Amino acid sequence: MKRKFIIRHKILEYLFTEASNEEDPQRPTRLISSDEISGKISFSVQKVNLYHELLHEKKEIECYSDGSTHEMKITIKGRQSFLDKKYLVEGKRDFWNSIYDPLKIIIPILTIVLSILALSLNQTLKKDLKETKSEIESLKQKIESMQK
């Protein structure tokens, strides 16, 4: 699974956990800095700042910045995304699609190659069978001629 999905899930997880400690978890008031999140989820501040943008765009988190610090808090939509493990599910789907897409091309090609091999083998076996029948007929004639 690509890191971006894990990082997004971890951001939501940390924000969710911190909001759960508040009086009204549905409407958290505490803003959490990128630095704090980075320290708790063990990813760099740059990665947190890079991958939180989609969360903000989808209104799963609210962001506030004064130029020097970047802070965020989880929204109700973000809480649901975390509980549904949205980004882990998307990451798994992305992983399986990355395997499935090349297979859609490889499998038909492999099928054609195997079909050609099977036809070639079939022709060789027919030829061998014909030669064997011919030899049997020849031997039968020899046996008959020796018995006379």
Side-chain angles (χ1 to χ4, degrees):
M1 182 182 316
K2 293 179 184 170
R3 279 187 187 251
K4 65 182 181 181
F5 297 107
I6 295 169
I7 293 171
R8 287 181 185 132
H9 180 77
K10 291 280 189 186
I11 291 170
L12 288 176
E13 179 180 33
Y14 185 70
L15 293 173
F16 177 86
T17 303
E18 289 301 306
S20 297
N21 296 331
E22 292 194 28
E23 194 172 302
D24 184 6
Q26 297 291 326
R27 290 177 179 69
T29 56
R30 179 171 175 255
L31 296 173
I32 301 169
S33 71
S34 297
D35 293 331
E36 181 181 341
I37 294 170
S38 170
K40 296 296 182 177
I41 68 170
S42 302
F43 287 102
S44 70
V45 175
Q46 292 82 10
K47 294 237 188 256
V48 170
N49 287 334
L50 177 66
Y51 291 117
H52 90 283
E53 293 172 3
L54 181 71
L55 301 173
H56 178 66
E57 184 180 305
K58 292 192 174 195
K59 301 194 184 312
E60 294 171 333
I61 62 172
E62 291 177 3
C63 296
Y64 304 91
S65 181
D66 64 6
S68 62
T69 60
H70 192 78
E71 299 175 316
M72 56 193 90
K73 65 181 179 177
I74 196 165
T75 64
I76 292 172
K77 188 175 181 182
R79 291 172 56 83
Q80 197 57 51
S81 293
F82 167 70
L83 293 171
D84 291 342
K85 298 181 180 181
K86 175 182 174 180
Y87 292 100
L88 295 179
V89 170
E90 280 184 19
K92 287 177 187 174
R93 186 179 316 121
D94 181 67
F95 170 76
W96 287 113
N97 283 342
S98 70
I99 292 173
Y100 177 70
D101 289 343
L103 286 178
K104 287 192 291 190
I105 296 167
I106 293 169
I107 289 175
I109 292 171
L110 234 118
T111 304
I112 290 169
V113 168
L114 288 175
S115 297
I116 291 169
L117 284 172
L119 287 171
S120 173
L121 183 61
N122 188 20
Q123 293 294 40
T124 304
L125 289 175
K126 279 184 180 180
K127 183 179 174 186
D128 288 348
L129 184 62
K130 202 176 208 181
E131 287 175 4
T132 304
K133 282 183 179 180
S134 165
E135 283 181 35
I136 291 173
E137 285 300 318
S138 170
L139 288 172
K140 275 185 183 179
Q141 288 176 357
K142 282 183 183 178
I143 291 172
E144 287 177 4
S145 69
M146 288 173 79
Q147 287 179 350
K148 289 185 185 179

